[in-house]
Amino acid sequence: MKTYFKASKLMTEKADAEENLEDVMEEVRKVSESIKYNHPLRKCIDTILRKCPVDYQEKMGRNMDDYEDFDDKQNTYPTEKSLVKLHKQVIYVVQRHNRTRVQWQILLQQAIHLEDVAKNETSLSHQFVHSFPSCEPAGWFCRYIYTPTVEWYWECLLKPWFYRLLSVVLTLFSVAVVWSECTFFSTRPVLSLFAVFIQLAERDYNYLYIEMACFITIFFLCTCVYSTVFRIRVFNYYYLASHHQTDAYSLQFSGMLFCRLTPPLCLNFLGLIHMDSAISHQQKLQTAYTSIMGSMRVLSFIANGFYIYYPMLIVILCIATYFSLGTRCLNLLGFQQFMDDSEMTSDLIDEGKELIRRGETGIMITVSGQNQTNR
């Protein structure tokens, strides 16, 4: 159902991207026809044309009359500044069109795979059957090891239970993080779970356990933080797209966020395990991080107030996440979000289901055409 919902939203974005591409290509065609081969700005037009899709380049090339000279008396030629703006628009719309097209193909494959899993769950032969040969896994590993029988047991039997077990483990980690964030300022008694674990290992000088505990904790915190950044979409302009479809501006924007998030994340981790002297209030040897980056002792009202009590707001964030308050607010503002009890969501699910059906029909036509060609 969620995949159908994503398909409906992505198709809207895909149609909008195709429409914008058509409009910009029409503008490029007009400019290309107005500026002839011996015009000083013709090299700028050639640069813009090289960024256009191949089919549009061929279409524009057939309509060009390069033998006609330009007339200096005419004043309808675009300026170099307008061509720079057009060049930027071409790069953006072409990349957006390619991104939505690739995302649609990936989402279509995911939907077909999920439908195959739903169909094979009731199979008595315990053999995983794919709807389309193109969706079958290839390679020697899948041919000899990941056989249809193994695939059926993994996809229909083991994988759901694996995800349930993983959700329980991650829930325990999340509870430990929330509890430690709310209690890491208490040094006597020590209430932070991560600080307790590290101090127990410190007494026995178990360095391997300390390294593994720190690594797993930091890895979990980074996963929670950075996975959220991966899903941030700023005005649908800055966001990370999978399969190498992210533009340079979004990469720079996300890299900037990562650089800003990493130092406070490290400082927060040191506070959780009471290795920051500003929290533990103990005369300990400083860590390499605090010796270089410093601590929050510079400003007393931040070190003794904001820095200690601000992490407790994570409880409010957890409550809002549990009750999907962010999703409901976005829905009220007109941003369509997946909600089980929403009439709009059910309509988009039905629409997405029909779009997937059309995509499957297109795949069937393509496969049959290839088979006829091979024959």
Side-chain angles (χ1 to χ4, degrees):
M1 289 173 62
K2 194 168 186 178
T3 306
Y4 289 149
F5 178 82
K6 291 180 179 179
S8 179
K9 291 189 63 177
L10 183 58
M11 180 54 69
T12 303
E13 185 179 351
K14 184 172 179 289
D16 185 50
E18 292 175 351
E19 184 179 351
N20 290 339
L21 180 66
E22 291 287 344
D23 296 338
V24 175
M25 290 299 107
E26 180 64 21
E27 188 176 353
V28 171
R29 183 190 64 81
K30 293 178 180 179
V31 174
S32 178
E33 290 178 354
S34 64
I35 298 180
K36 303 304 178 181
Y37 75 99
N38 53 353
H39 194 281
L41 294 177
R42 184 61 204 180
K43 60 180 181 180
C44 301
I45 297 299
D46 294 336
T47 302
I48 294 175
L49 289 175
R50 283 194 292 268
K51 302 297 177 61
C52 299
V54 178
D55 51 347
Y56 285 99
Q57 292 183 26
E58 296 176 352
K59 189 185 301 183
M60 295 176 190
R62 289 194 298 266
N63 297 331
M64 279 295 299
D65 295 328
D66 284 344
Y67 59 84
E68 295 182 6
D69 294 337
F70 72 94
D71 188 2
D72 285 327
K73 297 180 181 179
Q74 293 182 357
N75 297 321
T76 58
Y77 295 113
T79 61
E80 186 174 356
K81 185 177 180 180
S82 63
L83 291 180
V84 171
K85 183 179 179 180
L86 181 61
H87 186 209
K88 184 178 179 180
Q89 289 178 345
V90 168
I91 294 175
Y92 174 72
V93 297
V94 170
Q95 190 165 30
R96 187 187 177 200
H97 176 262
N98 293 334
R99 180 172 63 233
T100 54
R101 181 173 53 83
V102 172
Q103 288 177 338
W104 171 253
Q105 294 297 329
I106 296 171
L107 190 62
L108 181 60
Q109 293 177 2
Q110 291 177 355
I112 293 174
H113 175 72
L114 291 175
E115 289 179 345
D116 289 342
V117 172
K119 293 176 183 177
N120 284 274
E121 282 180 347
T122 57
S123 175
L124 299 178
S125 62
H126 295 179
Q127 297 277 333
F128 198 92
V129 180
H130 293 268
S131 302
F132 302 98
S134 60
C135 299
E136 294 182 2
W140 65 269
F141 177 78
C142 300
R143 188 178 298 113
Y144 299 106
I145 299 177
Y146 195 62
T147 59
T149 303
V150 175
E151 186 177 4
W152 185 90
Y153 277 101
W154 168 247
E155 294 289 346
C156 301
L157 190 62
L158 298 178
K159 192 175 181 180
W161 286 104
F162 171 76
Y163 279 140
R164 291 186 179 97
L165 178 62
L166 183 62
S167 67
V168 172
V169 174
L170 295 180
T171 300
L172 294 178
F173 261 101
S174 299
V175 172
V177 169
V178 173
W179 172 263
S180 300
E181 290 285 358
C182 295
T183 59
F184 74 93
F185 61 88
S186 177
T187 57
R188 293 180 182 178
V190 179
L191 298 179
S192 175
L193 297 179
F194 297 106
V196 172
F197 297 152
I198 297 298
Q199 290 179 8
L200 288 176
E202 184 182 0
R203 296 173 185 174
D204 300 331
Y205 299 98
N206 194 340
Y207 296 110
L208 178 62
Y209 172 80
I210 293 176
E211 291 176 358
M212 292 302 299
C214 292
F215 173 77
I216 294 174
T217 306
I218 294 178
F219 180 78
F220 179 74
L221 293 175
C222 290
T223 302
C224 295
V225 173
Y226 293 151
S227 61
T228 305
V229 177
F230 287 153
R231 293 194 295 268
I232 290 178
R233 301 179 68 148
V234 182
F235 300 110
N236 209 22
Y237 189 79
Y238 294 115
Y239 73 97
L240 295 176
S242 59
H243 294 268
H244 310 285
Q245 299 301 313
T246 307
D247 58 271
Y249 299 106
S250 297
L251 287 175
Q252 292 177 349
F253 180 79
S254 301
M256 178 184 66
L257 283 180
F258 290 158
C259 292
R260 290 178 176 177
L261 283 172
T262 303
L265 183 64
C266 296
L267 188 62
N268 179 257
F269 170 73
L270 293 177
L272 291 180
I273 62 176
H274 290 181
M275 293 297 291
D276 186 2
S277 57
I279 296 297
S280 61
H281 301 290
Q282 298 175 358
Q283 297 299 326
K284 287 185 176 181
L285 183 65
Q286 282 192 344
T287 61
Y289 180 85
T290 54
S291 62
I292 297 174
M293 301 293 293
S295 63
M296 301 298 293
R297 284 182 172 179
V298 180
L299 301 175
S300 59
F301 72 93
I302 291 181
N304 299 325
F306 181 82
Y307 182 43
I308 293 177
Y309 299 106
Y310 179 73
M312 294 182 183
L313 296 179
I314 195 174
V315 177
I316 300 178
L317 181 63
C318 293
I319 296 174
T321 304
Y322 181 79
F323 291 103
S324 303
L325 297 183
T327 302
R328 298 180 188 277
C329 291
L330 289 175
N331 240 359
L332 293 176
L333 294 175
F335 298 96
Q336 298 166 350
Q337 301 292 317
F338 181 78
M339 295 179 61
D340 295 333
D341 55 351
S342 174
E343 183 178 353
M344 178 64 70
T345 300
S346 60
D347 295 339
L348 290 176
I349 289 174
D350 295 337
E351 182 182 351
K353 191 173 184 179
E354 181 62 28
L355 292 172
I356 296 297
R357 293 288 177 270
R358 296 176 186 176
E360 292 175 350
T361 304
I363 293 177
M364 293 177 62
I365 295 174
T366 303
V367 171
S368 61
Q370 292 177 352
N371 294 334
Q372 292 179 359
T373 303
N374 295 332
R375 291 176 183 175

